[in-house]
Amino acid sequence: MPCYAGSIRQASRIVTQMYDQTLKPSGVKITQFGILRLLSACPGLTTGSMAQALAMDSTTLTRTLKIMEENKWIEARPGEDRRERHWKLTRAGEDRLQQALPLWKKAQKEFAQMASDVDLDGLTRAVFHLVQKTAA
């Protein structure tokens, strides 16, 4: 009997490695790229709201945000509750996103060519649906 979790994790690792390799010249990993894009579209998000939007656990997200903050790509300002932090891109983060964007587009194209026999739109819809069901 196949393990659904194992199969999805294996596919995720392979796709992540491919995107990370293509993004390497920008110094951005695919997880960081997703955060940069999210904050570009929605500045001021809290760690919790980002974790929810990205379907990431807060511990993993916090580790990634720390690295990105140390790189000066993002910065936080406190919320009304001192524990709450609102994140936004810095100028360096915006520049890094612009540098990574054409590489990400290249990775998208390479992945689409590699998986040309797969209904990627259908797969994307199915994964989105699965995330919505499990996040509820």
Side-chain angles (χ1 to χ4, degrees):
M1 172 180 245
C3 175
Y4 303 126
S7 295
I8 290 171
R9 288 177 56 82
Q10 185 179 31
S12 176
R13 283 191 296 272
I14 290 168
V15 173
T16 297
Q17 289 168 7
M18 190 199 100
Y19 275 75
D20 282 349
Q21 185 61 38
T22 304
L23 288 169
K24 196 172 192 170
S26 72
V28 175
K29 294 188 176 291
I30 190 61
T31 52
Q32 296 167 332
F33 180 80
I35 293 167
L36 291 172
R37 284 194 63 185
L38 179 61
L39 287 176
S40 178
C42 306
L45 291 176
T46 63
T47 304
S49 58
M50 271 196 287
Q52 187 174 9
L54 296 166
M56 287 178 77
D57 76 75
S58 292
T59 304
T60 303
L61 177 59
T62 299
R63 264 194 314 270
T64 304
L65 291 174
K66 183 175 188 239
I67 293 166
M68 294 174 73
E69 186 176 31
E70 288 169 356
N71 288 333
K72 303 199 182 318
W73 299 345
I74 59 173
E75 62 187 16
R77 61 178 168 73
E80 289 181 25
D81 178 343
R82 285 180 167 240
R83 296 169 293 175
E84 189 177 75
R85 302 175 83 187
H86 294 267
W87 294 94
K88 70 173 196 161
L89 292 183
T90 63
R91 181 67 192 158
E94 291 171 11
D95 291 346
R96 192 57 60 136
L97 177 59
Q98 291 310 310
Q99 183 182 6
L101 195 56
L103 298 170
W104 174 80
K105 288 179 181 177
K106 179 181 176 194
Q108 288 279 96
K109 187 176 181 180
E110 288 172 1
F111 184 78
Q113 289 172 343
M114 180 189 75
S116 62
D117 60 336
V118 175
D119 176 7
L120 291 176
D121 291 334
L123 176 62
T124 301
R125 282 191 304 276
V127 169
F128 180 78
H129 180 69
L130 179 62
V131 169
Q132 296 303 314
K133 285 184 78 162
T134 57

